[in-house]
């Protein structure tokens, strides 16, 4: 089932679920303190890279007291899921009005989500999904569409390599929902191209340094016969650029590198001709999240998946045009 089918398919069930939650959401939390502010428990990822910093800063700058909110920010400890589950549990016990969750791991959330449901506290997923994707356990997920974003990378690769290429994939950490979705979208297109040959894939944990090390090894073990690298985020793509250069090859010419996120550093690298394609995964959806929270607490219908629009950049000129106003 495609992502789009899934979104359409779950709308009915989730709408009913959301409505039920929404109608009782106001009764869920105790309204927090008696200062009249809506209390929001944000179970966050914490320090992870430029995308995450932009996203979590945007959320914190949106849910302010002036806007009527008390945002309780709970970043994970070293990306550890147990610390997230502990924070989630504390928010339920505290009776916050709504929980925002950016999950470090896709699995292992059923018990926590059921506890929030029993406490009639609506849960909104930000960015990261859960697996299995039981849309009855949360109200909605707000994120760019990872399938569409990674499909755009594959479509670009097909056009960039009409005569084919050997390629390698730098993945994010195993067990993260967006990694599975990005593989799904990319493989759905690239997997059908006989002349695009996958020589391997390996996680570099969103890290520039780790990606550089992985690509150094890949180039050596393939006698530099790799023409394309798909990096599932910008930091890893920038590490691949460094490894290609240190191998005496020219990024953008000998080896084309495509990334996902669209952070300033990646666009500057694209403008310099090092990266070849950057698919934005827009982190700035705080306003959307606030609107959705208000809808949910008002008992309004909410779609089970809210897609954040994102652009693509396929040339130095496109990157140069975007950089002056880049907000992340
Ligand atoms: O979940 C979004 C991903 O997490 C971003 O693409 C990556 O940069 C971040 O670490």
């Amino acid at each position: 089932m495609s992502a789009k089918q899934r979104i359409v398919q779950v709308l009915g069930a989730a709408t009913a679920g959301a409505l039920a939650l929404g109608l009782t959401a106001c009764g869920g939390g105790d309204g927090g303190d008696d200062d009249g502010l809506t209390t929001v428990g944000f179970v966050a990822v914490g320090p992870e890279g430029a995308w995450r910093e932009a996203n979590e800063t945007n959320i914190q700058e949106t849910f302010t007291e002036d806007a009527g909110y008390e945002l309780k920010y709970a970043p994970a400890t070293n990306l550890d899921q147990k610390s997230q589950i502990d924070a989630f549990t504390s928010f339920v016990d505290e009776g916050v009005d709504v929980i925002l969750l950016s999950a470090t791991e896709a699995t292992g959330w059923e018990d926590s989500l059921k506890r929030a449901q029993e406490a009639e506290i609506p849960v909104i997923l930000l960015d990261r999904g859960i697996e299995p994707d039981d849309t009855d356990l949360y109200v909605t997920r707000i994120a760019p569409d990872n399938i569409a974003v990674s499909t755009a990378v594959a479509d670009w690769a097909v056009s960039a390599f009409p005569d084919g290429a050997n390629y390698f994939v730098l993945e994010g950490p195993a067990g993260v929902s967006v990694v599975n979705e990005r593989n799904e979208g990319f493989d759905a297109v690239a997997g059908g191209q006989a002349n695009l040959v996958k020589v391997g894939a390996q996680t570099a944990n969103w890290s520039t340094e780790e990606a550089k090390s992985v690509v150094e090894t890949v180039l050596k073990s393939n006698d530099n016969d790799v023409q394309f690298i798909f990096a599932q985020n910008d930091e890893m793509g920038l590490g691949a650029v460094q490894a290609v250069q240190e191998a005496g090859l020219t990024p953008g010419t000998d080896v084309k590198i495509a990334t996902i996120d669209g952070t300033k550093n990646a666009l500057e690298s694209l403008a310099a001709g090092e990266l070849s394609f950057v698919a934005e995964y827009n982190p700035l959806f705080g306003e959307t999240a606030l609107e959705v929270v208000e809808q949910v607490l008002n008992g309004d219908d909410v779609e089970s998946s809210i897609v954040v629009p994102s652009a693509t950049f396929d040339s130095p000129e496109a990157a140069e045009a975007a950089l002056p106003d880049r907000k992340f």
Side-chain angles (χ1 to χ4, degrees):
M1 181 187 291
S2 71
K4 195 170 291 300
Q5 286 166 329
R6 180 172 55 76
I7 290 171
V8 172
Q9 186 263 341
V10 300
L11 277 189
T15 301
L19 187 57
L21 273 174
L23 289 175
T24 57
C26 305
D30 60 4
D33 305 330
D34 58 8
D35 54 13
L37 296 174
T38 298
T39 54
V40 178
F42 181 17
V43 180
V45 170
E48 191 186 47
W51 188 94
R52 185 66 53 193
E53 181 178 349
N55 176 255
E56 296 192 353
T57 300
N58 182 239
I59 295 294
Q60 294 174 81
E61 290 178 347
T62 303
F63 286 86
T64 60
E65 287 196 9
D66 287 347
Y69 292 88
E70 180 191 354
L71 183 78
K72 299 171 182 282
Y73 175 62
T77 305
N78 300 321
L79 303 176
D80 171 54
Q81 182 183 34
K82 185 183 181 307
S83 66
Q84 286 201 311
I85 291 173
D86 291 346
F88 191 104
T89 303
S90 298
F91 286 147
V92 172
D93 294 344
E94 189 180 324
V96 297
D97 293 309
V98 61
I99 292 175
L100 306 178
L101 170 62
S102 293
T104 56
E105 301 280 345
T107 57
W109 287 102
E110 292 87 347
D111 291 347
S112 300
L113 293 169
K114 285 173 182 166
R115 281 198 61 182
Q117 204 169 55
E118 288 159 7
E120 298 181 336
I121 298 175
V123 177
I124 294 169
L125 306 183
L126 301 185
D127 166 29
R128 300 279 177 80
I130 59 168
E131 294 169 9
D133 185 14
D134 184 348
T135 56
D136 288 337
L137 291 177
Y138 61 89
V139 175
T140 189
R141 175 184 177 189
I142 304 172
D145 182 336
N146 284 279
I147 303 284
V149 166
S150 55
T151 299
V153 175
D155 287 340
W156 168 83
V158 169
S159 66
F161 298 100
D163 300 323
N166 293 333
Y167 73 92
F168 188 85
V169 182
L170 293 166
E171 297 179 341
V176 172
S177 64
V178 302
V179 174
N180 300 330
E181 293 164 344
R182 290 173 188 182
N183 280 325
E184 178 186 344
F186 184 85
D187 292 345
V189 173
Q193 301 295 321
N195 61 2
L196 283 179
V197 179
K198 185 174 185 178
V199 298
Q202 186 176 331
T203 185
N205 293 301
W206 306 133
S207 157
T208 296
E209 295 71 26
E210 197 169 329
K212 179 184 175 188
S213 172
V214 169
V215 173
E216 283 169 350
T217 303
V218 169
L219 291 172
K220 284 179 186 150
S221 59
N222 288 274
D223 297 325
N224 288 348
D225 186 18
V226 175
Q227 290 77 41
F228 169 43
I229 292 171
F230 169 32
Q232 292 188 347
N233 90 325
D234 290 345
E235 277 87 352
M236 295 191 293
L238 295 172
V241 166
Q242 293 173 19
V244 166
Q245 291 170 327
E246 290 192 12
L249 302 171
T250 305
T253 304
D254 299 319
V255 183
K256 296 188 190 307
I257 302 160
T259 74
I260 292 175
D261 278 344
T263 56
K264 196 174 296 181
N265 290 342
L267 293 189
E268 287 169 348
S269 179
L270 175 58
E274 296 166 346
L275 292 177
S276 297
F277 183 81
V278 176
E280 182 184 65
Y281 184 75
N282 187 353
L284 306 182
F285 49 79
E287 283 303 323
T288 300
L290 188 143
E291 288 165 13
V292 170
V293 164
E294 290 182 345
Q295 289 168 359
V296 170
L297 294 182
N298 288 337
D300 300 341
D301 283 358
V302 174
E303 294 182 355
S304 72
S305 178
I306 296 169
V307 175
V308 178
S310 295
T312 59
F313 303 90
D314 62 2
S315 69
E317 294 75 20
E320 283 158 4
L323 276 166
D325 300 327
R326 205 66 183 158
K327 295 183 174 61
F328 65 97

